[in-house]
Amino acid sequence: MFDWTRSCSYDEQQKRRFHTTARSRLKKLAAELALPPGSYDVRSNKAGIAVSGEVTLHHTAVYIQVGQFGMSSGHGILIRTCKGRKDYTGGANHFVALSMLDDIPALAAAVRAITGVGCDAAQSPHRRAA
């Protein structure tokens, strides 16, 4: 398991692992939600030395961003609706724990509950396991 609570501040190796692992988990989340190829992208912004930066899954209808921006609350995954991949402000912000990246089916369920995205995938008998 990755230690999501270990700070990336002033630790380039931890930041690299954080970004690599978060990108991988967001790609698994996209598969779990059955997002069509080309309907989303996963991008990474490492930002400055004192912060974690963020990793973002941006779909045509949902915007999910992972970072260490809510560590005191345990939250570090932002989930909100959006209207296309040029919409960077989107709907209301919802936050869930970074540790949900270790349970992709649970994270997908949270995304479905918050945004409605991927609800068809949850009903499918052929849904892939994470």
Side-chain angles (χ1 to χ4, degrees):
M1 291 271 189
F2 186 79
D3 183 1
W4 299 104
T5 61
R6 181 174 166 196
S7 176
C8 292
S9 292
Y10 303 99
D11 186 341
E12 184 56 35
Q13 288 182 336
Q14 176 65 5
K15 185 183 279 195
R16 188 177 325 108
R17 287 189 297 265
F18 180 89
H19 281 255
T20 299
T21 306
R23 284 178 64 84
S24 173
R25 303 291 169 83
L26 287 178
K27 288 176 184 178
K28 288 179 182 181
L29 176 62
E32 182 75 14
L33 293 169
L35 301 181
S39 71
Y40 69 93
D41 56 40
V42 176
R43 58 184 177 267
S44 181
N45 174 16
K46 289 194 175 180
I49 192 170
V51 296
S52 69
E54 61 275 336
V55 181
T56 305
L57 186 159
H58 199 167
H59 174 261
T60 56
V62 66
Y63 184 93
I64 301 167
Q65 190 169 74
V66 175
Q68 290 183 334
F69 41 79
M71 294 308 293
S72 62
S73 66
H75 295 150
I77 303 173
L78 163 70
I79 303 168
R80 64 180 174 222
T81 58
C82 64
K83 295 178 182 175
R85 287 167 51 194
K86 300 249 185 226
D87 180 1
Y88 299 99
T89 56
N93 292 344
H94 301 270
F95 294 91
V96 297
L98 273 171
S99 61
M100 290 191 79
L101 289 166
D102 293 327
D103 186 350
I104 297 302
L107 180 54
V111 170
R112 288 184 198 106
I114 292 167
T115 68
V117 170
C119 286
D120 295 339
Q123 311 301 329
S124 173
H126 304 293
R127 186 175 69 95
R128 286 185 7 187

